[in-house]
Amino acid sequence: MSTTTTAVGVVGAVAPVTRRVRAYFAPVDRVAGVPTVFDAAQMGTFALSAPPAPWVDLGWCSGFVRKSATKVVTLTTGAPAVVQSQVRTEVEATVQFEFESWGKLQLALAAGSQQMNLLQTAVNAAANGSGGVAGAAVPLVAGSTATSLNVGAAAARFQVGELVAVDEDYVAQVGFVGSGVSAAYVSSPASVANDINYVRRVSLNVGRVVAIAGGVLQLGGALLAGAPPSGMQVSPLVGFVDREGGGFFQEWSGLFVMDGEQGDRVLYYYPRLQAMQGSAEMVKALAGPLEQVALAGAFRALPVKDANDGETVLCFRSYLPGAMRAV
Amino acid sequence: MQNARDTFYVTLRDRLAAVNPARTMVLRGVTRPGVLVEENELASAAQPANVFCLHWTGLSVNAQGALPLVAMSCEIQYATDGDAGNGGMDRGRLLSAMDAELVAAVSAAPQNTVKMNYVASAGGSGLAPVAMATNVFWGDVVFGAAVVNAERLERVATVEVFCYQEAGEL
């Protein structure tokens, strides 16, 4: 028995028309040097509001500009010299844009270096630019999830609306620290004054308390590192701070998606991005004295090897054509 | 182009009806959502109150691509006298409500939809409209200033609507 397939015509391929760029974050395993892989062949059609794990939505961004700084030069022979071939002498790529929202993750990525949490200070703590010595943290008890923190009777110390950092104590670790995402690099315990709260000070594992009941702090969103194990502690914080200077480079896997109006999609996947400038803002005038301040980020792409052919590459651009478009 | 106009109208009508099902009008004896296309109705100089009236105005075509890209301006006029029971003193609030309904309908994602051909389904034929091969898409709504006309508050908002002219489509 034969199968008949009805032939249908294709529509002319037109240039994508897009209106906005959606950005997504995924962590890079800094110890192993392994980025999060995005496979457009398997995951390219995800709904913008529901990225595949472990990708995290960074929201819309504007002013998206990517640049290739790859240098191609000619090889010439003879007199007069005649171009015989070309070679690449340098491969480099950068991307810059502005985040439309200010969140911990956006601030941390756009900052040139460590991005710290302003932990609530201990009583009479000496003043310090990135926050004084923090007050005592509250230990988690068993039963916490990515969106609820079981702190038992200590829940009375928290208030609805409070920001909290959830992470392990600093106990002389050397190397990358921070749960879920490497948030800083510690070269020696002395360099961080052996501060038991140092990991929570730099951690990206933060949330906002939206309800308190039965000794459990309910968070407004899931923690980046997922369900915290017992042994981690909770520190209340008042905000975030970054600095010009510092020795650390945040590194992340970036994904940028442009949805076309004809059902097509362009995806830019950067396996490894590092900030290439210090903290900066882009000011957009509204009216009168009012200005909207967007977080400006500029990033340099670092290389990975493509498993298909072993080529060293910096980024991947994928195009998923709309249905029945000519190719 | 007419298919794109019809598609945008039907989409906007359905979205506005979903946002505020109570905004209805009676036209030629039929109760329907409070949105109409002026050129599809009997010519009249009167602007009905509390109803969105669509006027297709500007038109341009870029024929350089694989398919001609058509840009059309849709002016949406609306007005309110306020509620008689309130002596019209709520006309600002009612105009503001219409502003919000229009934003919700036009700016809701996705701001595109499959272009439909309604020719065969017109006139109560019972036939379903035919889905075409490309999408109609549009920008955000741009509001003109509110205009005071005696006891009436009026506004004109504009939406740029785009489509591709498909092969054989008139």
Side-chain angles (χ1 to χ4, degrees), chain A residues 25 113 130 136 185 195 222 228 245 287:
Chain A
F25 158 92
S113 186
S130 59
Y185 185 90
D195 177 10

Side-chain angles (χ1 to χ4, degrees), chain A residues 6-86:
Chain A
T6 303
V8 293
V10 296
V11 180
V14 295
V17 175
T18 70
R19 60 185 80 215
R20 292 191 290 184
V21 179
R22 191 78 166 246
Y24 301 88
F25 158 92
V28 171
D29 182 339
R30 301 296 297 272
V31 176
V34 177
T36 299
V37 176
F38 180 83
D39 184 343
Q42 299 184 59
M43 301 179 276
T45 58
F46 68 90
L48 291 185
S49 58
W55 293 90
V56 177
D57 191 358
L58 292 169
W60 300 109
C61 58
S62 57
F64 180 83
V65 177
R66 66 191 207 104
K67 293 177 181 170
S68 167
T70 297
K71 292 185 173 65
V72 177
V73 299
T74 58
L75 291 179
T76 59
T77 59
V82 176
V83 174
Q84 298 297 326
S85 63
Q86 294 190 112

Side-chain angles (χ1 to χ4, degrees), chain A residues 11 13-14 17 19 261-262 325, chain B residues 66-67 111-112 133 135 137-138:
Chain A
V11 180
V14 295
V17 175
R19 60 185 80 215
E261 298 298 325
Q262 298 299 316
R325 296 304 190 270
Chain B
L67 294 174
Q111 287 177 269
N112 60 49
N135 287 353
F137 52 102
W138 54 90

Side-chain angles (χ1 to χ4, degrees), chain A residues 31-243:
Chain A
V31 176
V34 177
T36 299
V37 176
F38 180 83
D39 184 343
Q42 299 184 59
M43 301 179 276
T45 58
F46 68 90
L48 291 185
S49 58
W55 293 90
V56 177
D57 191 358
L58 292 169
W60 300 109
C61 58
S62 57
F64 180 83
V65 177
R66 66 191 207 104
K67 293 177 181 170
S68 167
T70 297
K71 292 185 173 65
V72 177
V73 299
T74 58
L75 291 179
T76 59
T77 59
V82 176
V83 174
Q84 298 297 326
S85 63
Q86 294 190 112
V87 294
R88 290 183 181 82
T89 59
E90 183 179 338
V91 178
E92 184 179 357
T94 61
V95 60
Q96 64 184 70
F97 54 87
E98 289 104 47
F99 288 111
E100 290 291 314
S101 53
W102 287 50
K104 170 65 183 180
L105 200 48
Q106 291 89 341
L107 283 161
L109 299 177
S113 186
Q114 301 97 317
Q115 213 277 342
M116 295 179 162
N117 301 315
L118 288 167
L119 304 182
Q120 283 186 7
T121 56
V123 177
N124 296 325
N128 186 50
S130 59
V133 173
V138 173
L140 289 173
V141 296
S144 294
T145 70
T147 56
S148 65
L149 304 175
N150 191 353
V151 294
R157 293 174 51 185
F158 294 88
Q159 295 180 330
V160 170
E162 209 161 34
L163 295 166
V164 293
V166 185
D167 218 313
E168 59 189 6
D169 289 342
Y170 181 75
V171 284
Q173 301 97 315
V174 171
F176 294 103
V177 295
S179 295
V181 179
S182 295
Y185 185 90
V186 180
S187 57
S188 70
S191 66
V192 296
N194 241 328
D195 177 10
I196 190 173
N197 290 306
Y198 182 74
V199 181
R200 285 182 290 278
R201 186 176 295 285
V202 296
S203 177
L204 278 73
N205 209 36
V206 301
R208 186 181 288 279
V209 178
V210 296
I212 302 174
V216 174
L217 311 179
Q218 193 67 39
L219 302 179
L223 292 169
L224 207 54
S230 297
M232 281 193 177
Q233 297 208 74
V234 184
S235 290
L237 61 105
V238 299
F240 313 108
V241 58
D242 50 57
R243 305 165 297 182

